[in-house]
Amino acid sequence: MQRAALLDAARSLLSEGGTEALTFPALAQHTGLARSSVYEYFRSRAAVVEELCAVDFPVWAAEVESAMRAAKTPEGQVEAYVRRQLALVGDRRHRAVVAISAGELDVGARERIRAAHGGLISMVVEALGDLGHEQPRLAAMLLQGVVDAGVRRIELGAAEAPEQIAEAAVSMALNGVRG
């Protein structure tokens, strides 16, 4: 129960104040625990972030997969893949994990996060193959690059509204650069 409270506090701190806000004293203050108690659960900020990824990433992936399953066509599945990921940008769980630099994570943690992203990319390979892509895995990786660029635009508070960014990303995914 305390671990869940610490993770929730970490999400809030990261999403509201970025990496500088995630400190063990702040976690202690947000949860009412003694600072020494926080160290009983996590050895470092990176360990907190790694656990956030382990807990939250499967939830995001399930949401993307559910949206894709609801689509009736390969085009609809690709659209759902793009739109659901971009919609998750506003979720504080997502903001929390992307707020901290991957540089603070050890190699093993970065590899686990990379593998989780690989699982996300795998979800759209079949739909891209059904659309006739000769190299659907490569197309899926490139599509994820479009999604990642859209995520960054939204996170940066770009001049375009998130809905405009999503529309442009879906258009690029389905129609290429011709729009």
Side-chain angles (χ1 to χ4, degrees):
M1 186 154 107
Q2 297 293 0
R3 189 177 212 85
L6 286 164
L7 290 174
D8 196 51
R11 283 181 197 100
S12 294
L13 289 166
L14 284 167
S15 65
E16 294 165 10
T19 57
E20 298 79 30
L22 181 62
T23 64
F24 279 27
L27 284 170
Q29 182 181 4
H30 272 74
T31 58
L33 294 172
R35 187 165 88 180
S36 60
S37 296
V38 176
Y39 285 97
E40 292 176 26
Y41 292 94
F42 299 104
R43 68 187 185 295
S44 65
R45 290 178 351 146
V48 174
V49 172
E50 185 176 350
E51 186 149 338
L52 282 173
C53 290
V55 169
D56 291 343
F57 198 87
V59 174
W60 308 332
E63 289 184 28
V64 172
E65 186 175 32
S66 177
M68 289 180 68
R69 225 181 1 260
K72 306 291 187 235
T73 65
E75 291 89 352
Q77 292 170 340
V78 170
E79 180 174 352
Y81 178 84
V82 172
R83 285 190 190 282
R84 191 66 204 128
Q85 286 189 71
L86 294 177
L88 287 170
V89 174
D91 184 309
R92 76 186 185 103
R93 294 170 300 175
H94 184 271
R95 285 193 316 259
V97 173
V98 297
I100 195 159
S101 163
E104 291 193 37
L105 301 176
D106 65 28
V107 172
R110 285 195 304 268
E111 283 302 315
R112 284 187 289 282
I113 292 168
R114 195 172 295 123
H117 273 98
L120 190 63
I121 290 168
S122 295
M123 287 182 200
V124 77
V125 170
E126 184 178 344
L128 292 168
D130 291 345
L131 288 173
H133 284 280
E134 291 180 19
Q135 295 180 305
R137 178 93 179 135
L138 175 59
M141 289 185 272
L142 295 172
L143 173 60
Q144 188 60 44
V146 170
V147 172
D148 292 344
V151 165
R152 283 190 300 279
R153 293 288 299 165
I154 293 168
E155 287 173 349
L156 291 172
E160 307 88 6
E163 299 79 25
Q164 290 175 305
I165 294 169
E167 286 300 321
V170 167
S171 178
M172 182 160 285
L174 296 176
N175 305 313
V177 294
R178 291 191 180 116

